[in-house]
């Protein structure tokens, strides 16, 4: 009887499966660390949680059996730390044509609404789902990136030099990232392939490749009308409510009946190719909004499946994500409150200019305040969106082959509604690079919200797929 030698694909699969058995317990430890991003924890350095997360992940990376690898923790003055990993080329790959792999380890805050048996800092594995904040967004990325490199080497495959960056300010809009990209210019060089594992997926049946990301503008809109709270029976009708003034201001930027943006700087013409992509994907996924927990009788803003995909990826939107000046309903007296503040989150079409959008929003909200109220739009921050360059034939073939090897299905493309500021920065800096933006966040994985989870088999399969892509890149 002749024994058949395992194929490279078999070796990659087995290596990834074995590695992820050991990774899951480490992700439990990572989830338990409340290392929220600096925007949500100004005392992050003193609290020490970010340092704990960095050491956990960097320590695991240092222990990996990858010849010639260097692992460092870089910390520029007044910046969050960055894990920097440099892996030399292997099995004939090039050191002069690097691959850049990216992830982040900072987290969103707790958010309310977690199930009684779950919690943001309480890792719980239920079947294939590892619940807790940050496992899928995006703590798994460092583990997946290095395991993919190891699996490639174990299978005898070639890969070019790989630079892995794991940042700690992404959930705050990556304010520290440009400084690191500049400081690491010689290390990063000019990558021809960028792999980012911080995105989403439509389902767990194949590899989903993100072709666009929305940009964003955030800021706090504040309205002050009186200096003290006043009895509503005494002054209402004569003194305007600060909340009503806010409603008037928001009507300047958003059509409240449809949700459409009213400022030209927040609107773009959708490229025909992206419309075709949505039309192609819609029959596969159906009405995408049905994946989300709408209350009984509620409906999406758009009924058409292709329209839903475009609405979440190429339309500008406004969300009110926070408020000050509003007491809880059970503590609210009959008082006309002196002020109200809302934190506004604008999602921008991928090709919109965030600086122009921020300027237009600020001007629209602050001009000619109703009733002469004191109005300000402050703490304004923005980040660019991203629209993928045309996919080169070698990469299109590699994505399908990698997805088939890991998932049993060819890859599919879709636009993502969130923002990854890193992609916009790199898209401008490396316009000739090819991008593989992918991730494990399915429709109900609920990144940023309660009951966030990592679908462990998908993380493992995505690790396999990245290994195949690294080999294809070296061989192209």
């Amino acid at each position: 009887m002749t024994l058949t030698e395992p194929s490279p694909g078999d070796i990659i699969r087995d290596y990834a499966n074995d590695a992820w058995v050991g990774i899951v317990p480490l992700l439990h430890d990572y989830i338990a660390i409340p290392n929220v991003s600096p925007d949500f924890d100004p005392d992050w350095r003193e609290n020490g949680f970010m340092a704990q997360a960095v050491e956990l992940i960097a320590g695991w990376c240092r222990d990996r059996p990858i010849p010639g690898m260097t692992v460092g923790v870089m910390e520029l003055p007044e910046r969050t730390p960055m894990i920097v990993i440099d892996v030399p080329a292997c099995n004939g790959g090039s050191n002069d044509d690097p691959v850049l792999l990216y992830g982040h380890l900072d987290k969103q805050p707790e958010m309310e609404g977690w199930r009684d048996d779950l919690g943001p800092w309480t890792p719980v594995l239920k079947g294939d789902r590892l619940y807790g904040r940050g496992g899928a967004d995006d703590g798994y990325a460092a583990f997946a990136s290095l395991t993919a490199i190891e699996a490639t080497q174990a299978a005898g495959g070639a890969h070019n030099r790989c630079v892995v960056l794991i940042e700690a300010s992404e959930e705050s809009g990556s304010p520290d990232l440009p400084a690191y990209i500049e400081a690491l210019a010689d290390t990063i060089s000019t990558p021809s392939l960028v792999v980012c594992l911080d995105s989403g997926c439509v389902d767990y049946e194949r590899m989903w490749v993100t072709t666009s990301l929305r940009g964003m503008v955030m800021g706090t809109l504040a309205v002050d009308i009186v200096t003290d709270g006043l009895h509503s029976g005494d002054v209402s009708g004569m003194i305007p409510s600060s909340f009503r003034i806010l409603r008037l201001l928001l009507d300047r930027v958003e059509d409240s009946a449809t949700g459409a943006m009213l400022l030209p700087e927040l609107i773009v013409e959708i490229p025909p190719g992206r419309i075709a992509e949505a039309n192609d994907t819609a029959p596969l996924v159906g009405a995408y909004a049905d994946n989300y927990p709408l209350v009984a009788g509620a409906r999406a803003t758009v009924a058409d499946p292709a329209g839903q995909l475009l609405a979440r990826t190429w339309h500008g939107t406004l969300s009110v994500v926070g408020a000050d000046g509003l007491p809880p309903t059970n503590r609210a007296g009959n008082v006309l409150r002196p002020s109200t503040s809302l934190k506004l989150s604008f999602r921008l079409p991928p090709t919109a200019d965030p600086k122009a959008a921020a300027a237009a929003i600020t001007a629209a909200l602050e001009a000619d305040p109703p009733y002469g109220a004191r109005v300000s739009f402050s703490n304004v921050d923005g980040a660019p969106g991203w629209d993928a360059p045309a996919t080169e034939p070698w990469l299109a073939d590699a994505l399908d082959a990698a997805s088939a090897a890991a998932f049993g299905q060819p890859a599919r493309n879709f636009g993502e509604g969130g923002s990854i500021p890193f992609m916009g920065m790199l898209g401008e800096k490396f316009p000739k690079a090819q991008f593989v933006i992918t991730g494990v966040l399915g429709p109900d994985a609920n990144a940023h919200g309660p009951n966030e989870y990592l679908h462990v088999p998908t993380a493992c399969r995505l690790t396999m797929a990245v290994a195949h892509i690294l080999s294809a890149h070296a061989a192209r």
Side-chain angles (χ1 to χ4, degrees):
M1 180 178 180
T2 302
L3 295 177
T4 303
E5 290 289 327
S7 69
D10 292 336
I11 295 172
I12 288 172
R13 181 195 63 233
D14 293 344
Y15 194 99
N17 282 330
D18 289 344
W20 269 91
V21 171
I23 290 170
V24 170
L26 285 166
L27 282 173
H28 278 72
D29 295 340
Y30 164 77
I31 288 169
I33 303 171
N35 58 308
V36 297
S37 202
D39 267 6
F40 311 105
D41 182 10
D43 298 323
W44 63 270
R45 193 183 303 276
E46 292 76 12
N47 290 333
F49 299 126
M50 199 71 77
Q52 290 179 33
V54 168
E55 185 50 40
L56 184 151
I57 291 177
W60 178 87
C61 294
R62 292 189 188 101
D63 291 339
R64 306 319 302 156
I66 301 177
M69 176 182 67
T70 62
V71 178
V73 177
M74 187 176 186
E75 190 160 352
L76 296 174
E78 306 303 317
R79 304 286 185 184
T80 51
M82 171 85 76
I83 300 175
V84 183
I85 305 166
D86 199 336
V87 179
C90 177
N91 294 331
S94 171
N95 280 314
D96 300 322
D97 181 26
V99 179
L100 180 59
L101 299 100
Y102 165 86
H104 69 87
L105 55 77
D106 57 314
K107 304 174 185 177
Q108 284 280 319
E110 296 85 341
M111 186 67 179
E112 297 179 354
W114 289 78
R115 287 173 11 200
D116 290 343
D117 58 334
L118 303 174
W121 320 125
T122 306
V124 176
L125 182 64
K126 289 181 177 286
D128 291 334
R129 299 180 175 189
L130 176 57
Y131 287 91
R133 177 68 80 230
D137 185 24
D138 179 58
Y140 85 101
F143 301 99
S145 295
L146 288 196
T147 302
I149 293 170
E150 290 178 45
T152 303
Q153 295 186 4
H159 66 72
N160 289 6
R161 185 170 75 92
C162 295
V163 178
V164 184
L165 301 182
I166 306 297
E167 71 153 315
S169 68
E170 194 276 342
E171 299 294 5
S172 299
S174 294
D176 297 337
L177 193 57
Y180 280 107
I181 296 300
E182 182 178 348
L184 292 166
D186 290 341
T187 299
I188 296 171
S189 185
T190 306
S192 57
L193 176 65
V194 176
V195 179
C196 171
L197 301 178
D198 187 30
S199 193
C201 55
V202 173
D203 58 36
Y204 300 126
E205 306 303 319
R206 70 192 73 234
M207 183 180 187
W208 287 92
V209 181
T210 300
T211 53
S212 65
L213 295 157
R214 287 193 288 191
M216 64 177 179
V217 170
M218 297 192 73
T220 300
L221 176 61
V223 171
D224 294 86
I225 187 62
V226 291
T227 58
D228 295 299
L230 303 173
H231 192 298
S232 63
D234 184 31
V235 301
S236 62
M238 177 178 65
I239 304 295
S241 158
S242 60
F243 193 87
R244 183 164 68 84
I245 294 172
L246 278 170
R247 289 163 54 195
L248 293 171
L249 295 173
L250 295 181
D251 283 344
R252 297 178 178 183
V253 297
E254 178 197 44
D255 182 333
S256 59
T258 66
M261 295 292 93
L262 301 177
L263 304 179
E265 292 83 358
L266 279 63
I267 302 168
V268 303
E269 183 175 350
I270 304 175
R274 297 299 178 225
I275 296 175
E277 184 178 280
N279 287 330
D280 184 50
T281 303
L284 180 67
V285 303
Y288 197 58
D290 290 348
N291 291 292
Y292 295 88
L294 292 166
V295 299
R299 60 183 184 274
T301 57
V302 181
D304 172 63
Q308 289 183 2
L309 295 177
L310 292 172
R312 69 182 290 274
T313 56
W314 280 90
H315 293 187
T317 61
L318 166 61
S319 299
V320 176
V321 298
D324 290 326
L326 292 164
T329 55
N330 64 350
R331 301 288 295 171
N334 259 328
V335 175
L336 186 142
R337 296 170 297 100
S339 65
T340 311
S341 298
L342 301 178
K343 187 170 184 180
L344 306 182
S345 172
F346 292 87
R347 294 290 179 178
L348 307 179
T351 54
D353 181 342
K355 292 182 180 178
I361 293 167
T362 302
L365 293 176
E366 291 187 342
D368 191 20
Y371 303 103
R374 187 166 66 217
V375 172
S376 66
F377 187 55
S378 61
N379 300 318
V380 181
D381 192 19
W386 174 77
D387 188 27
T391 304
E392 293 179 0
W394 77 265
L395 182 55
D397 292 341
L399 290 169
D400 277 341
S403 183
F407 291 87
Q409 300 277 355
R412 294 297 294 258
N413 297 331
F414 82 122
E416 186 57 90
S419 305
I420 307 176
F422 183 64
M423 292 303 105
M425 297 176 200
L426 286 192
E428 291 185 7
K429 191 171 182 65
F430 305 118
K432 295 183 179 179
Q434 290 286 280
F435 290 81
V436 177
I437 316 303
T438 186
V440 297
L441 290 164
D444 63 346
N446 217 23
H448 299 196
N451 310 321
E452 177 186 337
Y453 73 85
L454 169 70
H455 190 254
V456 176
T458 296
C460 182
R461 293 182 188 120
L462 203 55
T463 302
M464 303 175 203
V466 172
H468 286 281
I469 291 165
L470 291 177
S471 292
H473 173 256
R476 76 194 193 286

